[in-house]
Amino acid sequence: ASRPWLGDGDPRGHTSAGGVVVAELLERDDVAPELLARWWGPAGFSNTFEQFDFTPGGRWVFVMQGPDGKRYPNECVFRAIEPNAGVVIEHVVAPHFTLTVQLHAQGDNHTRLTWAQTFETAELATQLRDLVVPANEQNLDRLQVVLLSQSQRA
């Protein structure tokens, strides 16, 4: 997996990972919130979704709870959704960023996922890099576990 972070002075960070994905997950034009809640966030975090409207312009309001019990309220807007291809999510509370997730089919049961996170400023990206890089890696590792468990059920 290639998981680089761009240098200081750039508000962008990129993470990518390959994963086994069952065909029906690639063909979906929606996202099952119960599956998303299982993998979203770093290791040890859980999620409670208060609102999840997976449509362009729809809101996603949720609370992430860390392993220490601390709660992190989040609010996002789905800016673009392309079935089988990707989604653009704007995190509308601090820290402000846009997350672009793209899916690239590679054969029958594999997908390359690219994850580009653009922060409001380069300074914010630099400030959060040491937190965000491992958190994003853990997030995608958790996704891979969920996808593998789903493919074993198929």
Side-chain angles (χ1 to χ4, degrees):
S2 169
R3 298 177 176 180
W5 189 264
L6 299 178
D8 289 345
D10 195 318
R12 300 168 294 162
H14 297 272
T15 306
S16 66
V20 176
V21 181
V22 292
E24 55 266 26
L25 287 178
L26 276 178
E27 293 167 0
R28 296 179 66 124
D29 62 357
D30 65 346
V31 171
E34 63 278 1
L35 288 179
L36 184 61
R38 287 177 43 200
W39 66 267
W40 192 259
F45 278 71
S46 62
N47 295 285
T48 302
F49 290 4
E50 298 170 7
Q51 182 178 353
F52 187 80
D53 179 11
F54 191 66
T55 59
R59 298 193 87 67
W60 177 23
V61 180
F62 62 102
V63 176
M64 294 177 70
Q65 184 167 322
D68 61 358
K70 187 171 180 183
R71 297 170 56 83
Y72 301 89
N74 286 267
E75 186 171 344
C76 300
V77 174
F78 295 105
R79 293 295 178 204
I81 298 171
E82 292 183 51
N84 307 320
V87 61
V88 176
I89 304 167
E90 181 183 358
H91 194 260
V92 296
V93 296
H96 295 273
F97 62 85
T98 299
L99 177 64
T100 302
V101 178
Q102 293 181 311
L103 302 174
H104 310 277
Q106 296 182 329
D108 290 338
N109 292 320
H110 289 82
T111 297
R112 165 101 10 223
L113 181 146
T114 58
W115 174 296
Q117 196 168 10
T118 304
F119 289 89
E120 194 170 43
T121 66
E123 293 77 21
L124 182 59
T126 298
Q127 177 186 356
L128 294 177
R129 179 177 38 215
D130 291 343
L131 171 71
V132 169
V133 169
N136 285 346
E137 289 179 8
Q138 293 168 19
N139 203 345
L140 293 178
D141 290 345
R142 291 178 69 187
L143 170 61
Q144 199 127 8
V145 168
V146 168
L147 292 175
L148 287 172
S149 72
Q150 291 297 304
S151 69
Q152 291 169 355
R153 291 182 190 166

